[in-house]
Amino acid sequence: MQKVTCTAPVNIAVIKYWGKRNEELILPINSSLSVTLHQDQLKTTTTIAASRDFTEDRIWLNGKEDNINHPRLQSCLREIRRLARKRRSSGGEDGVSRILSDKVHICSVNNFPTAAGLASSAAGYACLVYTLAKLYGVEGELSEIARQGSGSACRSMYGGFVQWLMGEREDGKDSLAQQVEAETHWPELRILILVASAEKKHVGSTAGMQTSVETSPLLKFRAESLVPGRMVEMIDAIRKKDFEAFGQLTMKDSNQFHATCLDTFPPIFYLNQVSQRIISLVHRYNAHYGKTKVAYSFDAGPNAVIFTLEPTVSEFVEVVKHCFPSESNGDTFIKGLTVSPSPLSSELTSAISGDIFPGGVNYVIVTQPGPGPAESQDPALDLLGPDGLPKSTA
Ligand code: 2P0
């Protein structure tokens, strides 16, 4: 039995992807740009084993066996195996030839709750494609294959700041992810995830964006006329580490994505009351200081992703605790990077008060930009036992 274990990160878009021009190949109607989050806080781990003793391809996700015949999963398997065959016929490794006819067992887990509404499909498909590529000895450009699992997954193939170029070709060969800057580029940048609701989202992204493409004139305008300029501005802000520009554009792009959701018919609502309170809190906090110190972004769910710089983290976490007091405000409320206590000034408290909503935020994950997928050297992370079955179903 040959076995490989890899991990892959979550990414958060600051220029949003919403809408496809080709559903099957997953080709977007606009380019997008994201920040890869650090795997110390959020990651998917995948082990894939190949053996001639396996009678069929099988997959387990978060402890439960799932359907291996899912079309997107099959696309990724087919494409990687095709590349591996191509490599073999051009004189690649012998070992690969043998395992190419073997069936595989795939086991994948997230270290964060899927129900938290974080983009698990991005990390999941990135990890699947990366691990398959390692197993079959395939190297080079893999984001085009990850894209066929889930659009946003192509951006999780790199660390740091990543753009997904929409491309022009019908076959999708130029619809790829590229690193704009490495994770070390902006060391002060921090990302806080405010988990506002553990409820499952009502409208899935795939179906939601399809309805938006069919019905929203605003989405068409955004994709054609606004995003190209925003991509240039965002890359410039990141290269210059200009938080004012980065934060403003991040918030505007998130708001515009949710405006296209409201412009969709029937409309889609991802933001809830807690999300709206967080938006107004961020604006009040920034107004108090007269500059953009924190910025929010929301995906297809109510959780807030807050971007800020390291010196602001402890105070803003205190602000969140103040506005969303919780019984677990102690140890379990803040997860991830260590945050030191920071007393709030009375001026700041009065500037942000009026927005007290007990229990609105369940917990906060504090993280930073991180690297792309990697092969694990730690046998403890291996998810499949010597029999090729999941070690535990916990
Ligand atoms: C993004 N989202 O850019 C945007 C912002 C959600 C809001 O990518 O159909 O799960 O698998 O390509 O990638 C979510 O969409 O959709 C997403 P598919 P995906 O991160």
Side-chain angles (χ1 to χ4, degrees):
M1 182 163 60
Q2 288 226 26
K3 210 160 49 167
V4 180
T5 300
C6 300
T7 64
V10 167
N11 73 78
I12 301 292
V14 290
I15 299 294
K16 304 290 188 191
Y17 149 55
W18 197 251
K20 301 181 186 69
R21 62 181 200 272
N22 180 321
E23 293 282 333
E24 202 183 323
L25 290 174
I26 312 195
L27 301 178
I29 59 169
N30 60 257
S31 297
S32 56
L33 199 150
S34 58
V35 181
T36 296
L37 305 189
H38 206 291
Q39 295 180 49
D40 283 353
Q41 281 73 46
L42 300 156
K43 70 171 178 229
T44 296
T45 304
T46 301
T47 299
I48 306 183
S51 163
R52 68 183 59 169
D53 296 336
F54 297 161
T55 53
E56 55 184 344
D57 289 336
R58 294 175 76 182
I59 187 165
W60 292 264
L61 298 179
N62 293 313
K64 277 211 289 216
E65 184 150 20
D66 211 301
N67 179 15
I68 192 80
N69 293 316
H70 192 288
R72 291 176 171 201
L73 189 60
Q74 288 296 323
S75 299
C76 293
L77 272 165
R78 186 189 60 237
E79 290 304 304
I80 291 276
R81 283 170 166 159
R82 193 178 54 77
L83 281 186
R85 273 190 205 97
K86 209 164 112 187
R87 189 164 179 267
R88 182 188 55 180
S89 60
S90 61
E93 272 175 58
D94 278 355
V96 172
S97 307
R98 197 186 50 71
I99 62 164
L100 259 171
S101 51
D102 289 346
K103 301 293 181 192
V104 291
H105 283 186
I106 303 167
C107 188
S108 189
V109 296
N110 298 327
N111 73 344
F112 53 94
T114 308
L118 299 163
S120 60
S121 70
Y125 275 108
C127 208
L128 172 79
V129 168
Y130 192 84
T131 312
L132 279 171
K134 288 283 173 200
L135 181 75
Y136 293 130
V138 173
E139 280 160 7
E141 185 8 76
L142 297 169
S143 73
E144 193 207 332
I145 301 177
R147 189 202 73 225
Q148 295 178 56
S150 186
S152 52
C154 72
R155 300 186 312 236
S156 275
M157 296 302 282
Y158 297 97
F161 303 83
V162 183
Q163 63 173 330
W164 171 13
L165 298 162
M166 65 178 286
E168 289 170 359
R169 290 171 58 140
E170 304 251 308
D171 64 3
K173 297 272 177 229
D174 58 353
S175 189
L176 310 168
Q178 278 181 355
Q179 187 176 66
V180 171
E181 289 289 350
E183 59 274 15
T184 48
H185 167 69
W186 200 348
E188 305 81 22
L189 193 66
R190 293 292 178 274
I191 300 114
L192 318 183
I193 298 162
L194 276 48
V195 178
S197 159
E199 268 176 66
K200 212 173 146 32
K201 61 192 169 196
H202 301 291
V203 182
S205 298
T206 307
M209 65 177 81
Q210 201 169 357
T211 315
S212 298
V213 168
E214 285 161 10
T215 63
S216 169
L218 177 58
L219 179 64
K220 188 173 156 60
F221 173 68
R222 160 184 165 72
E224 288 174 4
S225 304
L226 297 176
V227 172
R230 286 187 169 189
M231 288 293 292
V232 175
E233 277 179 62
M234 186 58 92
I235 290 171
D236 189 54
I238 290 167
R239 294 229 159 103
K240 290 180 179 149
K241 294 187 258 185
D242 176 352
F243 191 82
E244 185 72 32
F246 172 83
Q248 294 258 329
L249 192 50
T250 294
M251 293 188 280
K252 286 177 183 173
D253 204 71
S254 170
N255 292 343
Q256 189 173 83
F257 154 53
H258 291 281
T260 68
C261 290
L262 188 60
D263 192 45
T264 298
F265 198 79
I268 305 166
F269 304 99
Y270 288 124
L271 305 179
N272 67 14
Q273 249 195 329
V274 175
S275 325
Q276 286 159 14
R277 281 166 184 264
I278 293 166
I279 291 173
S280 95
L281 177 65
V282 165
H283 285 290
R284 239 182 283 184
Y285 183 83
N286 288 338
H288 175 73
Y289 284 104
K291 63 176 184 169
T292 303
K293 283 174 66 100
V294 290
Y296 53 77
S297 183
F298 296 83
D299 285 334
N303 296 333
V305 178
I306 300 291
F307 291 89
T308 190
L309 298 175
E310 200 281 325
T312 305
V313 171
S314 53
E315 186 179 78
F316 192 74
V317 163
E318 223 51 63
V319 165
V320 172
K321 283 184 180 175
H322 175 84
C323 296
F324 301 98
S326 147
E327 280 161 20
S328 62
N329 253 356
D331 292 349
T332 55
F333 189 69
I334 308 296
K335 304 175 198 291
L337 297 175
T338 308
V339 178
S340 48
S342 160
L344 299 182
S345 70
S346 54
E347 294 82 15
L348 180 60
T349 310
S350 62
I352 58 163
S353 61
D355 236 355
I356 311 293
F357 192 159
V361 173
N362 292 339
Y363 57 91
V364 178
I365 304 169
V366 183
T367 186
Q368 60 192 340
E375 187 170 350
S376 160
Q377 307 301 336
D378 178 4
L381 280 185
D382 185 344
L383 301 170
L384 292 167
D387 56 357
L389 294 171
K391 278 182 180 168
S392 87
T393 50

